[in-house]
Amino acid sequence: MCGIIGITSNKPVITNIISSLKKLEYRGYDSAGIATLAKNFIDEVKCEGRVTKLEKICSKKSIEGIIGIGHVRWATHGVPNEVNAHPHSSENVSVVHNGIIENSTLLKKYLEKRGYIFKSQTDTEVITHLLSEFLKKNKLVAAIQKTLAKLHGSYALGILIKNHPDIIIGARRGSPLAVGYGHNENYLGSDSYALKAMTNRVSYLEDGDICIVKKDQVDFYNSNGKKINKKILELSDKNEEYQKGDFQTFMQKEIFEQPQTVKACINEYVDTLRDEINIYNLPWNLKEVKSICLIGCGTAYHACMMAKNWIENLTDIDVVTEIASEFRYKKNNFKKDNLYIFVSQSGETADTFAALELCKKNKMKTLGVVNVVESSIARSSNFVLPIHCGSEIGVASTKAFLGQMLVLYIFALQIGFLQKKLKKNDYKSKIKLLKKLPELIKKTMSVEADVQIIAKTFADSKGSMFLGRGLSYPIAMEGALKLKELCYVHAEGYPAGEMKHGPLALIEDGMPVVILAPRDKHYDKTLSNMQEVIARGAKVLLISNKGKEEISSDNLWKKILVENCSDELLPFLITLPLQMLALHAAKYKGYDIDKPRNLAKSVTVE
Ligand code: M6R
């Protein structure tokens, strides 16, 4: 949430700051701003809305600074408007911030008593004034340390100071921050994605670190003020370009990329000649794991729910799932033989990262399942299994969900085999079936034309339900989440068998209901639940898989059939029409599909 960029160079930085901000918009997009420093003057430009608006405003001005900071905001304190947009500048100091300062009200009172006047409703502005105050009587590093010591909460900061016209200061606690190294210029960024277009050489700040970035030198200090050296890491794909190609939105592109991304991931983990799984060098023995706790948020949490089913079916291990924001504050019984798995596309989700840090503090075994391999969760986990699906730009997670499920399914097969609960023949035949998955996903894409027509009813409804049993229940939850997120209509995901315990009362004439009834062991039961909602007037969209027997039912509104495959793999296929349903419903409404309202791609505040 919120994106930060800083550039110090020997040439004007405005163009590169604007293009980096465009890349960072996936982190927040309600307002944007920049500050540059030139001729002993901090020049600040801010606006409500998107970076293109900021760009237009900047193009009418002459902005010469060769050092500057920029920000895209996802509002926490104060409505999204020009005044609350970052940077927050005084005459001497300009600050961009990602995170939340929890004691800002107290600090504001203290500063107001000392004569500081606040312009915005944000928590960030206290940092500007605190630093100005400490700079009066302290040298630079000491003033920064004193400022940071006063702050409770989380932050990644980029700071310009008028009297130090050749440096950008960065500081991190709880929110990610990276430094990039260029030729005659250096960078500060809230993640490496924004820096990739300019450099593939980066260092990451750890909690408590401060950095002082000059165009030809970067100094790092730890929380004790001791100068430290940082490893420079090489990012893999400097020139990777994220284009929509022939698609109108990233989300649509990402849905249709899934045959390739799933294939790429299978190729990473499966020896396709020997039909074996290549997961080596884990720092612990998987044979000894007695219980597993899977932790994530949102869509990643739904992938955890799927994994619980698979691991329980393929092993005797006790498995629980935890929503990260709950786990981090509850009492947990940490046990030595427990394995903690953290699932996150971005690898930066604040709650998931905090849950990981808590497990590390308690010396637990930690495994990260992430997409962004340079992320905080990836760097902090004992071991990482990347999902290899490439950058996901659409705020609504699609290909990363399939990637997370895939890696967790592969992991479930491996642990089942190592713990001797899955016989070698079964293990190999499951891998053989898995190898066919990319092709089945590709074929299932043909359902889009039908889904597109059906989507209008969901877009026009005031609410809908998504029902499934067993492996289809987490997918029902995911389908409902996608529709809420993109189409701004209420949608509820529910275990089909729970309907008569309350939610059935919601069903009324014409209400669209999705029934996920693949031909697995729950098929008959789910069809009975379908009859119950049809009897109460629901317009049912049945999603199942192709099979010998024709599915016919009186009063069934619509039917979508995905390809046929093993029961364990059906969740991958029935997810596809649900992704398309949310996409097309949002299209009908004319909503911004890649940047739904109020949301951000990377949730780095709790
Ligand atoms: O980056 P993460 O996977 O940790 O993100 C977790 C959730 O914020 C994310 O899955 C969110 O629910 C998606 N926008 C859903 O499409």
Side-chain angles (χ1 to χ4, degrees), residues 10-28:
N10 57 4
K11 53 182 192 285
V13 289
I14 182 70
T15 313
N16 280 346
I17 289 186
I18 294 283
S19 56
S20 301
L21 287 181
K22 283 185 183 163
K23 291 213 161 63
L24 283 171
E25 264 193 322
Y26 79 100
R27 297 181 70 98

Side-chain angles (χ1 to χ4, degrees), residues 515-532:
I515 299 283
L516 298 174
R519 297 168 205 250
D520 59 13
K521 66 175 182 183
H522 301 285
Y523 181 60
D524 291 334
K525 297 268 177 232
T526 314
L527 288 192
S528 303
N529 298 133
M530 177 177 88
Q531 294 306 336
E532 289 159 7

Side-chain angles (χ1 to χ4, degrees), residues 77-179:
H77 290 57
V79 293
N81 63 19
E82 184 184 333
V83 178
N84 289 335
H86 298 211
H88 291 282
S89 309
S90 65
E91 198 195 326
N92 299 317
V93 172
S94 183
V95 177
V96 286
H97 168 217
N98 180 11
I100 294 178
I101 305 304
E102 288 163 0
N103 58 339
S104 61
T105 313
L106 276 181
L107 291 172
K108 190 171 171 189
K109 277 190 191 143
Y110 161 82
L111 287 159
E112 277 172 340
K113 275 192 196 143
R114 301 182 86 84
Y116 288 93
I117 294 166
F118 282 76
K119 291 180 269 188
S120 74
Q121 300 160 304
T122 65
D123 52 339
T124 306
E125 202 178 343
V126 296
I127 307 173
T128 310
H129 299 315
L130 264 184
L131 183 56
S132 306
E133 181 67 12
F134 284 122
L135 278 168
K136 285 181 188 165
K137 291 193 185 144
N138 294 278
K139 291 213 168 120
L140 180 68
V141 176
I144 296 164
Q145 280 173 326
K146 286 190 173 173
T147 304
L148 299 181
K150 291 268 180 215
L151 307 177
H152 297 174
S154 61
Y155 53 75
L157 298 171
I159 303 172
L160 289 181
I161 300 177
K162 191 173 89 175
N163 295 339
H164 295 271
D166 58 342
I167 61 172
I168 299 173
I169 293 147
R172 166 191 172 149
R173 191 206 292 153
S175 298
L177 198 61
V179 162

